[in-house]
Amino acid sequence: MARPPVGTVTFLFTDLEGSTRLWESDPSGAGAAIARHERLLRRLVGERSGVVVKGTGDGVLAVFSSANDALAAAVAIQIEVERDATVRSRIALHTGEAESRDGDYYGVALNRCQRVMSIGHGGQILVTLATEEVLTHPLPDGVVLVELGRHRLRDVAEPMLLFQVTHPQLMSEFPPLRTSKTFAHNLPAPLTDFVGRERELIDGARAVRGSRLTTFTGIGGGGKSRLGLQVATSLVDEFPGGVWLIELASVADPSLVPRSIAQVLGIPEEPGRDLLGAVGLRLGQAPALLLLDNCEHLVEAAATAVDHLLRVASGLRVLATSRERLGVPGETVYVVPPMSVPDGDDASSAAGAFEHDAVRLFVKRAALADPGFVLTDQNSALVSRVCRLVDGIPLAIELAAGRVGSLSVSEVAARLESHFGLLAGGSRTVDHRHQTMLAALDWSYQLLSPAEREVLAQLAAFRGSFELAQVEAICHVEDPAGVLGAVVGLVDKSLLIHDPASGRYRLLEPVRRYAEDKLEESGQTQAVALNHALFFADLVERAADTAGVDQAVHLNGLEQEHDNLRAALRWSLDAADGDLALRIGSAAWDFWKLRGHLSEGLAWLERGLEASRGAPPAVRARALRGAGDLAAGQGDATRARRYLEQSLQLAEELGDDTGAAESLTRLAGLPHREGDLVGATRLFEEALARARVGGDPSRVGHILASLALLSEDQGFSDRAERYAAEALSTRRQTDDVYVVTDALLALGEIRINRGDWQAARESLETALQEARRAGFTDVIGWATAYLGKMALGEGQIQEGERLLSEGLAMFQRLGMPVAAAWAMRHLGRAALELGDDSRADALLRGALQISLAQVRPDVPLVLQAIAELEVRRGRWEQGAVLSAAAEATRNRMGLKLPAREQAAALAALDEASAQLGGEKFQRLSAEGAAMTIEQAGARAAEPDV
């Protein structure tokens, strides 16, 4: 037998569903089934380089060095068990560190695998996030992982993100997992333990349960955010609609508050969409909790947003943290008290002092600075004195405890006492705890080395989180130990927070504001801000140049830096450096577009265009192109055309054929969205000619792929295939992988419409493989959705529905409404074929709403599907009118239906005609043919006519 693997392994745990009942009803049959199951597992596991460790009654544990081998074995096992048909097996895969002795395995990873397996159903394969992250692509043929959300398991502290394995030969529909509750949230895992505050947790949770708006108030550094996060975490199970953290500390513009909330909830910007209204619809009536953290600098905007959401979402509750109340009617204010501190007898013993939260926090944090630190009867009075001196304020306690690595507790107490004595003459009108917090920061600051002071002040230029390399590039000190030594010292002294998981740093907001004051006092604010803005201008330009290499990495990286980009833009505009602002915006606009920051990105670009006086013409042309594209994304065709035509004029003046081709390509999108396919084709052909002159094979390839799909829509099949084939051939002239996937998607769509399933599958699976390797998340979504459309064409309706649903989920996560509407239309057709009229109705009407607002050529296609639904329901008149309206609209646009959809349309027309009679059918058809697209859309929204 092979040697059991060690190190990081993947566990496969399986058992037979309902084996107890089988033992009761048929003992001999049960024994035979279990023996047969174990023999099957040993064979299939062994064939895939795994080791069966043991059988446990009706369960079997196997271990693999490779997660891919484990996945392949699990699929093979389920396929064989399905063929057996006498029993059903449930399987779980989990990856972790192997803890073994005497040939057996123990430990956390194995326990979690068992727990996951226990919540599954017979025929189901469940995979944990730990395994999903180490799987390499391509996965075994036909295997797709479908995300099931986070689930709380018995005896497992943190919820686990799980996936279900799907395969054409396996069942795909199962009841909900056997967990007590499935929930959604975005609450981060805290970097340090939450210490004490049991009373505050109870009171805070009670306040949230008893009021639709609760605001935690108190001084900066008083623990409002940490307590709010802990309360929200404790209440996750009570809010099936989700618990969502919206961090506002780095949001400087009040107008971005609605966008910040919508972005957390995955709601993209769309033309004319009221973001707060969309948030209200998304939250609906289900109990949900929003945690708005650090509202004090945005009180009015936060209050307006909260007031609106509470009115439209009846199940919503809001927990806000702020230095002052929001002032919304019905608000409950909970003043977060300082931590309890010992006095008298309690302070004289370790046991007595440790009963108080302030001491417990000090001890926890001091042990991080000095692992040998413990609370004793000898030092308890000194620790208690330190906690009293800082009034039990959590941040001040952490700052003091961070000094234990370099000072004794008695030295910390003595220096605090000396420094805080200066407060005696302070203003009596100011809360002494505010003075204490400032004094604690002053005291900690004065104990820093000169280099640490300089770096702390300069860190105020950053917003959100940042990397060490960025700090080293932007901050400058004369000390030989350099910036790195200062950063390490600031982390050790609890003034700077380091997240080991991401490797990034951040300042708590009270510390950042204090550092900002120190930077202002030093007279370096403008110089440091300029360094910061120039650095992030370079960063976003480099990111834009390499965007095609790995789209996911590119977009995720810029999302992490978005707060810093905003700060750089804001400073540039405030400092009247419009040229620098335009440089940043011209490189960032594609990120804003792809991540759904349309209105914000356009606002930055317009301010930059207005403020810029000497930006290079090429930068201005790019910025105008970006402004045009973002305006088009918001449905503002007039503004989009103005910007794009200006961009085109500049490109022509510069003799920049590639830039002209890019502007023409985006201009072509405007008539296309309005349904003018001929006008769009003319502009794309002009763009193609300019791109060929410019000699940019990537641009040529992208335009050819667009022309291929546009030609296919107009019924020019041969031309479409020639364009797509030429687009694919550009791979020989460019290393732009995106253009290859673009061409493969076009070929896949064309071949689906021909019914050439094998060729279509080859194109789409190759596109999917390339996209996964490069991280092109939008291409992954399109390839998956196209494969779903192909499955519908082949008659595999359930498989098509599954793939289209997976594609739709990706489009929605990426904020791609046009793509989402496309997937919804085809899902609606799948629901039609499955006889699920209510689901078809919801999907098709949702697709119609988006298409009317976004891209007109899709409208007659959706109208046609709705017409078929109405005929199916026996609403012959409505079906006849909408069919005629759809056909007339297609004819005006020059749009052709694919053969399969054309056949379905003709069948529906024949049925409506037969039911209505020739004369009535002709009259209703004439009525529909005379409708405008808006009238037809309005008629389709009245299903009971």
Side-chain angles (χ1 to χ4, degrees), residues 497-779:
I497 294 174
H498 177 238
D499 180 359
S502 66
R504 294 174 71 86
Y505 297 81
R506 67 181 176 88
L507 292 172
L508 288 176
E509 190 61 12
V511 178
R512 194 197 66 77
R513 293 183 184 183
Y514 179 87
E516 199 168 42
D517 290 341
K518 292 299 179 185
L519 185 61
E520 186 69 30
E521 289 174 13
S522 73
Q524 292 184 295
T525 297
Q526 297 304 312
V528 175
L530 176 60
N531 287 344
H532 177 273
L534 289 171
F535 177 89
F536 281 99
D538 288 339
L539 181 145
V540 74
E541 285 176 335
R542 289 195 305 273
D545 290 340
T546 59
V549 176
D550 191 327
Q551 184 197 48
V553 170
H554 159 69
L555 294 176
N556 291 339
L558 288 181
E559 196 73 71
Q560 273 191 319
E561 307 300 349
H562 201 181
D563 287 328
N564 282 305
L565 290 175
R566 287 165 171 152
L569 284 161
R570 191 176 303 109
W571 177 83
S572 301
L573 291 166
D574 290 346
D577 193 344
D579 295 346
L580 180 55
L582 202 64
R583 180 183 160 197
I584 297 169
S586 69
W589 72 263
D590 199 41
F591 156 70
W592 286 325
K593 173 187 175 181
L594 291 172
R595 282 298 168 94
H597 306 288
L598 302 181
S599 59
E600 180 185 357
L602 182 57
W604 286 122
L605 282 168
E606 289 184 324
R607 290 178 64 188
L609 286 165
E610 184 179 349
S612 173
R613 296 291 179 269
V619 171
R620 189 169 187 86
R622 282 198 308 272
L624 285 163
R625 193 177 305 127
D629 213 16
L630 293 175
Q634 291 186 279
D636 191 339
T638 301
R639 201 159 33 153
R641 183 171 285 105
R642 183 174 72 249
Y643 287 135
L644 290 170
E645 286 175 349
Q646 290 177 32
S647 174
L648 177 60
Q649 181 181 346
L650 266 177
E652 289 174 338
E653 290 172 2
L654 291 167
D656 179 7
D657 288 298
T658 298
E662 290 181 11
S663 297
L664 283 163
T665 300
R666 286 167 175 82
L667 275 168
L670 300 178
H672 179 259
R673 287 189 172 202
E674 290 302 313
D676 181 4
L677 303 189
V678 174
T681 301
R682 178 181 57 77
L683 286 169
F684 271 123
E685 288 173 343
E686 187 179 347
L688 179 60
R690 300 298 290 269
R692 290 190 195 280
V693 173
D696 182 352
S698 294
R699 177 56 45 192
V700 168
H702 287 301
I703 297 170
L704 285 166
S706 296
L707 277 167
L709 290 175
L710 197 54
S711 299
E712 179 71 7
D713 286 344
Q714 297 172 85
F716 304 131
S717 301
D718 292 342
R719 184 195 303 173
E721 191 138 17
R722 284 198 306 274
Y723 278 137
E726 187 183 351
L728 191 58
S729 72
T730 60
R731 75 166 94 191
R732 291 191 292 269
Q733 292 91 43
T734 177
D735 58 358
D736 186 345
V737 180
Y738 199 93
V739 72
V740 174
T741 61
D742 217 7
L744 287 167
L745 289 177
L747 276 173
E749 165 80 332
I750 291 165
R751 289 164 175 173
I752 289 171
N753 292 339
R754 306 262 194 299
D756 188 352
W757 311 126
Q758 182 175 350
R761 182 174 286 104
E762 288 173 1
S763 296
L764 295 173
E765 288 183 348
T766 303
L768 192 58
Q769 184 176 349
E770 294 285 351
R772 281 175 172 157
R773 185 179 297 118
F776 299 151
T777 47
D778 59 334
V779 177

Side-chain angles (χ1 to χ4, degrees), residues 71 75 125-127 132 135 137-148 163-172 765 768 772 780 783-784 787-788 799 802-807 810:
L71 178 60
V75 172
I125 304 172
L126 298 176
V127 174
E132 189 271 344
L135 287 169
H137 291 278
L139 299 178
D141 287 345
V143 170
V144 175
L145 300 185
V146 177
E147 185 177 317
L148 298 180
F163 300 81
Q164 177 182 308
V165 177
T166 65
H167 186 276
Q169 293 178 257
L170 297 179
M171 295 174 58
S172 60
E765 288 183 348
L768 192 58
R772 281 175 172 157
I780 293 171
T784 302
L787 285 167
E799 175 67 3
R802 181 185 66 77
L803 289 168
L804 283 162
S805 296
E806 192 175 331
M810 292 185 205

Side-chain angles (χ1 to χ4, degrees), residues 807-822:
L808 174 60
M810 292 185 205
F811 295 146
Q812 289 172 328
R813 282 199 300 270
L814 291 170
M816 299 170 63
V818 174
W822 185 96

Side-chain angles (χ1 to χ4, degrees), residues 34-51:
I34 290 169
R36 192 163 59 247
H37 181 61
E38 186 169 342
R39 286 196 303 272
L40 172 69
L41 260 72
R42 289 187 181 278
R43 174 172 62 82
L44 294 176
V45 166
E47 289 173 356
R48 288 158 182 82
S49 305
V51 176

